[in-house]
Amino acid sequence: MKSIFHLITKRFYPSRLECFCGLAVLLCWGSPVFSAEGEFLSEIQLKCNTLSKNVRPVPSSRVTAAGQQTIAAVETLIGRIRYYDSRENSVAGSISVRELRGLRETLESGKPDPKILATAQEKFHKSRQWHQEKVFSDAMQGLDHYLTVKQSFEDKEYVSQRINFFQKLPGLVEKYQQKQDAATSILLAEAVKFMEESREGTEVLDLLKANLTGPNVKFRVNINVLSPLFERTINENIDVQENILGTQIRGNGTFFGKTSMALIPNNHTAKIQLAVDSAMVTHTLGVNGPARILSDNVITAATVKNLLVSPENGIIAESASTEGTIESNVQNISFTRQGPLLRQIGTNQVYSRKAASEAESLRLAKLKINRNVDDKVETEIAKVNGKIRQWNTLPEEAPIRANFSVTRAKTTDRELFFNMLTSTDGFLTTTVQSPVFSRRSDLYVQIHQSAIHNTMSPLANQTLDEKELWEELRQLFPAMFEASQKSAAKTPQESFLTLGFAAVPVDVSFEEDMIKIKVNTLFLRENKRDYPGMEITLVYKITGQNNRFRLEPVEVQALPLGFNPKVNRMSVREQTIRTIVLKRIRKLTEKPIVLGTLRGNDLPLPALRPSYVSAKDGWLSLGYVVDSK
């Protein structure tokens, strides 16, 4: 029995579950609801008209109430931090207990210090690793709300600004539905952020979130890709040591088994079944008083544990369940004391207790297997939950980042589907219907251009040199850079240019098998000299041939920011910096980027070779098939 426990809990489950967890970072939050486009816009227009007519100056009582709410949330946070750490300077992220007490005191004074408020807000937002903790986010959002209300109370133009805001919002929503470019997305995200912080127009906010929050990354994974993570054949020599109903049992044997996984069809929840079918053949010696029992035993066990992934509840592990049988054949019974009567009585007792001993052996084995499989699986799920939180709390020094969540996960008997969305401080993703999944691919990925916009938008107003930018991209897209390391996608050894990004840093479009990347900069710096900002455009044609994806450079263009060739003419200085930029960019992009077979590296995934590619209607679709070579 000990060998089953040892093999399942130490030799199989940790490694296989660890591999599974790499794929199962799929915690899910609310799924989007879509209404008819015309009805949605009409409802937005109606609610915004009502709000614009009812705008009134902010009363001082509202500022006081917001301050009291913030004080209470900060006090709760202080208590939580001090509960875990009694030091006065203990911290949550980058804001300390001492600073939180200073914030509370300045709010209680009735005349809060603007410097303390601004510093606290900045440190709250820098402590990204704590944003998932409710007591922390309550305090942070409370302070944001207080500052917004306070600013509105002090702003003499508040009423006219709010009327103008709600009058223009329906037009912005309509424009976004027509063209989901980066600039419009950012404007609407800012409007949403304002409504969240001010807590004004909550009905409009709910409508926007319900109708404009759609997935912008979609996956379909065939069981051919998933099964190698779990399916293994086991053939091990084992030692046996048990105590069954007072009989000490020792011996050895062989453990045979097979691990497997299956997808259970479910349209609302992704359901994965982990299983181990095993058999153990042993030769044992049992000692009970003067009796010595030699036996041959065959134990079979089938262990099943289901994992559920749902948008409402995340990853849930059901209790493991084991069914088994045992067959025991007594080969010989001997006694340390002689005598025919003793031998007869002892032999009768051994056979009379044989059924009870077998039943107890099987019961103990099933309990141990279930308990230890549950422990191991739930430990791994806890690690997954930690990794999910880390996805949304990347280090503050990382300029490129996005928030991830899964809006839907489902399974058929052969495939796992899940839809993800990436967002920035707003919620914007896409409402554009994605192409139909390619049925000839074992792994199929669809990425909407809004996912790239959201991931790159934190670059707004950031300053990075070439090397820093390239390293950021390498961390964000490791597979792409690893696959293309022999092409032009290498980190520059030296940084010749420093880029100061504009409010809309990157705009990407996927159309007609072309990938168009537009980078907007406020300034360019070379050798400590600053030049006017440029709009740099790169166009690649993406094709799939010879089991590779190939991004062929088609066009490189650089123009002064906001330049219209039909109206404007470039100055000599602008022409000079344009020449410098084009020369540098062309050197970096002169060779095509080639993406070949995907390999699992530390995961036992099958090799996947490119099989299908398409870029149209704002979606980039990539398909891979299991390489049978």
Side-chain angles (χ1 to χ4, degrees), residues 69-79 100 103-104 107 124 139:
Q69 290 174 358
T70 305
I71 290 170
V74 169
E75 185 63 40
T76 302
L77 178 58
I78 291 172
L100 287 170
L103 172 61
R104 181 189 62 190
L107 288 170
F124 266 126

Side-chain angles (χ1 to χ4, degrees), residues 375-394:
D375 288 346
K376 294 298 181 182
V377 172
E378 284 156 21
T379 298
E380 295 301 326
I381 287 177
K383 292 179 183 178
V384 172
N385 294 338
K387 290 178 182 178
I388 292 167
R389 286 193 293 270
Q390 291 173 10
W391 274 28
N392 289 335
T393 55
L394 293 175

Side-chain angles (χ1 to χ4, degrees), residues 426-528:
F427 64 90
L428 299 177
T429 53
T430 179
T431 58
V432 177
Q433 182 64 39
S434 63
V436 176
F437 276 115
S438 169
R439 306 308 301 181
R440 51 182 174 164
S441 301
D442 292 316
L443 171 64
Y444 194 71
V445 184
Q446 294 177 329
I447 305 170
H448 189 261
Q449 60 199 34
S450 63
I452 309 298
H453 298 158
N454 291 340
T455 304
M456 297 297 182
S457 63
L459 282 175
N461 303 314
Q462 295 269 0
T463 300
L464 294 176
D465 63 33
E466 288 176 75
K467 191 171 183 179
E468 291 171 333
L469 177 59
W470 221 249
E471 286 299 329
E472 287 292 333
L473 293 172
R474 181 184 294 277
Q475 293 178 26
L476 191 65
F477 306 110
M480 173 179 171
F481 277 81
E482 182 179 349
S484 60
Q485 59 185 341
K486 295 182 180 179
S487 68
K490 295 183 179 179
T491 303
Q493 296 300 310
E494 297 181 59
S495 296
F496 294 93
L497 285 177
T498 297
L499 292 79
F501 289 95
V504 182
V506 179
D507 197 349
V508 176
S509 65
F510 301 133
E511 298 292 343
E512 298 178 352
D513 291 334
M514 295 286 187
I515 299 177
K516 186 176 182 180
I517 306 168
K518 188 182 293 183
V519 181
N520 300 314
T521 62
L522 292 174
F523 68 87
L524 297 164
R525 183 177 298 142
E526 184 193 29
N527 296 328
K528 299 183 180 180

Side-chain angles (χ1 to χ4, degrees), residues 90-331:
S90 57
V91 297
S94 64
I95 189 165
S96 68
V97 169
R98 192 185 303 277
E99 290 167 322
L100 287 170
R101 283 184 170 162
L103 172 61
R104 181 189 62 190
E105 289 168 5
T106 194
L107 288 170
E108 288 175 339
S109 70
K111 295 182 179 180
D113 186 331
K115 274 189 177 179
I116 295 177
L117 296 177
T119 301
Q121 186 181 39
E122 180 184 1
K123 291 197 171 186
F124 266 126
H125 285 274
K126 280 187 175 180
S127 306
R128 294 181 64 87
Q129 70 271 27
W130 280 68
H131 286 193
Q132 297 290 323
E133 301 292 335
K134 188 176 186 304
V135 291
F136 185 89
S137 63
D138 285 349
M140 179 178 68
Q141 292 168 11
L143 179 59
D144 287 342
H145 175 57
Y146 170 75
L147 290 173
T148 303
V149 173
K150 182 174 179 291
Q151 183 181 5
S152 300
F153 173 73
E154 297 169 350
D155 187 357
K156 295 180 180 179
E157 302 295 327
Y158 167 79
V159 173
S160 60
Q161 288 175 353
R162 292 302 183 276
I163 291 173
N164 188 48
F165 172 82
F166 287 116
Q167 286 177 343
K168 288 186 175 180
L169 185 57
L172 183 60
V173 173
E174 185 175 10
K175 183 179 178 182
Y176 175 76
Q177 285 199 315
Q178 293 171 353
K179 185 180 181 182
Q180 296 176 322
D181 60 351
T184 310
S185 296
I186 288 174
L187 287 174
L188 194 48
E190 288 174 351
V192 168
K193 185 179 180 182
F194 165 76
M195 286 188 285
E196 288 178 333
E197 291 181 355
S198 66
R199 301 179 189 177
E200 296 180 30
T202 53
E203 292 182 359
V204 174
L205 184 61
D206 291 342
L207 269 177
L208 292 175
K209 288 188 174 183
N211 288 273
L212 297 185
T213 307
N216 54 12
V217 180
K218 298 185 178 184
F219 290 86
R220 179 180 65 80
V221 187
N222 193 280
I223 196 171
N224 295 336
V225 178
L226 297 174
S227 57
L229 291 173
F230 306 97
E231 294 185 353
R232 293 290 183 276
T233 299
I234 305 166
N235 190 338
E236 301 281 347
N237 294 324
I238 55 174
D239 294 322
V240 179
Q241 183 176 346
E242 290 289 350
N243 187 317
I244 305 297
L245 299 180
T247 301
Q248 294 289 335
I249 297 175
R250 296 177 181 272
N252 55 56
T254 305
F255 185 89
F256 303 92
K258 184 177 181 181
T259 65
S260 63
M261 61 83 65
L263 298 177
I264 311 302
N266 195 312
N267 280 328
H268 307 289
T269 300
K271 191 170 184 179
I272 300 172
Q273 187 177 84
L274 310 180
V276 180
D277 293 321
S278 57
M280 182 172 65
V281 179
T282 63
H283 309 286
T284 61
L285 170 65
V287 178
N288 192 333
R292 302 290 186 269
I293 307 106
L294 286 173
S295 301
D296 291 336
N297 312 285
V298 178
I299 301 171
T300 60
T303 304
V304 173
K305 187 171 183 69
N306 292 328
L307 300 180
L308 308 178
V309 185
S310 70
E312 297 81 12
N313 303 307
I315 300 176
I316 299 174
E318 296 180 347
S319 297
S321 173
T322 299
E323 296 296 332
T325 61
I326 182 170
E327 293 182 10
S328 180
N329 295 313
V330 177
Q331 301 298 320

